[in-house]
Amino acid sequence: MNLPNKLSCFRMALVPLIVLVWIFPYAQLNIAMPEFTFGIVSLSLKNILVLVLFCIASFTDYLDGQIARKNHLVTSFGKFIDPIADKLLVNTMLIMFVCYGMVPIVPVIVMIWRDTIVDGMRMSTASKGVVVAAGMLGKIKTVSQMITIILVLLNNLPFELWRFPMAEFMLWFSMLVSVASGFSYFMQMKKYIMETM
């Protein structure tokens, strides 16, 4: 349990805290969340709090990878836990956005399907003693998803000031990269998945 792996576990631990801040019944407890106005866009303090927590969690994703590579602390556990922590963080946020009607459901479903399939393939290869680390497309997918989530939490600021739906554009872009990276993983792992026992 080295520092990069501890950071991945910390990222996972932040997920339920983010959920709690997002779904907490402020109105029922007569807690008024301040609203901040930027031109034509209003932004709730709740969004800002979740954004801060999400950015901290996202930064640990960058930090654990840098520390692991720089100090030669790459482990099989790290290769396994890092993408799981990313998916828990990102997919939880996207599901909450769908529940609140903030993003369309189709790209979120496709991305969750992709993650489920890739995880199944990872489990299959792991049973043969093969650990597949995240590839470049997978990393691009994660970064684009994180940018999407930040834009949604910011109510598409600053692009909303110019009426450009950048958050929705990034969501669909993330879906396309997600599908492409899923296919890339399949091509990497198919020789292990398809082999006979």
Side-chain angles (χ1 to χ4, degrees), residues 82-117:
D82 182 64
I84 289 177
D86 292 341
K87 289 171 188 174
L88 277 176
L89 176 65
V90 168
N91 288 341
T92 297
M93 295 299 301
L94 292 174
I95 289 169
M96 288 196 302
F97 291 160
V98 169
C99 289
Y100 281 76
M102 298 168 70
V103 299
I105 191 171
V106 171
V108 174
I109 287 177
V110 171
M111 287 187 279
I112 291 174
W113 284 348
R114 175 267 185 203
D115 286 348
T116 304
I117 293 167

Side-chain angles (χ1 to χ4, degrees), residues 1-196:
M1 185 56 71
N2 56 35
L3 180 57
N5 294 341
K6 288 178 180 177
L7 286 170
S8 293
C9 291
F10 174 68
R11 185 157 70 257
M12 293 174 65
L14 281 176
V15 174
L17 178 60
I18 289 171
V19 173
L20 178 62
V21 173
W22 186 258
I23 68 171
F24 191 80
Y26 302 100
Q28 289 87 331
L29 297 175
N30 294 318
I31 300 173
M33 295 300 284
E35 293 273 341
F36 303 94
T37 303
F38 302 90
I40 58 172
V41 183
S42 292
L43 199 60
S44 169
L45 178 60
K46 181 179 79 170
N47 287 50
I48 295 171
L49 292 174
V50 171
L51 176 63
V52 170
L53 291 171
F54 179 77
C55 287
I56 291 170
S58 299
F59 182 67
T60 66
D61 181 37
Y62 165 78
L63 198 59
D64 63 18
Q66 290 294 312
I67 293 171
R69 285 186 291 273
K70 183 178 179 181
N71 298 293
H72 307 290
L73 297 174
V74 177
T75 63
S76 292
F77 178 74
K79 291 179 183 178
F80 172 75
I81 199 67
D82 182 64
I84 289 177
D86 292 341
K87 289 171 188 174
L88 277 176
L89 176 65
V90 168
N91 288 341
T92 297
M93 295 299 301
L94 292 174
I95 289 169
M96 288 196 302
F97 291 160
V98 169
C99 289
Y100 281 76
M102 298 168 70
V103 299
I105 191 171
V106 171
V108 174
I109 287 177
V110 171
M111 287 187 279
I112 291 174
W113 284 348
R114 175 267 185 203
D115 286 348
T116 304
I117 293 167
V118 169
D119 288 344
M121 291 191 294
R122 282 179 183 275
M123 289 173 61
S124 176
T125 57
S127 68
K128 298 175 172 66
V130 179
V131 177
V132 179
M136 182 54 65
L137 273 176
K139 292 175 182 177
I140 293 171
K141 182 231 17 160
T142 300
V143 170
S144 66
Q145 287 176 323
M146 288 177 173
I147 292 171
T148 301
I149 290 165
I150 289 169
L151 287 170
V152 172
L153 287 171
L154 288 172
N155 292 337
N156 197 42
L157 280 171
F159 302 97
E160 191 63 25
L161 300 175
W162 304 300
R163 306 287 188 181
F164 183 76
M166 179 60 81
E168 188 170 354
F169 172 82
M170 286 300 302
L171 179 67
W172 288 99
F173 173 76
S174 298
M175 185 199 76
L176 293 175
V177 176
S178 181
V179 171
S181 67
F183 180 74
S184 175
Y185 279 122
F186 173 74
M187 295 305 292
Q188 288 183 63
M189 294 186 272
K190 70 175 182 178
K191 65 180 178 181
Y192 304 108
I193 297 168
M194 300 299 186
E195 70 182 5
T196 56

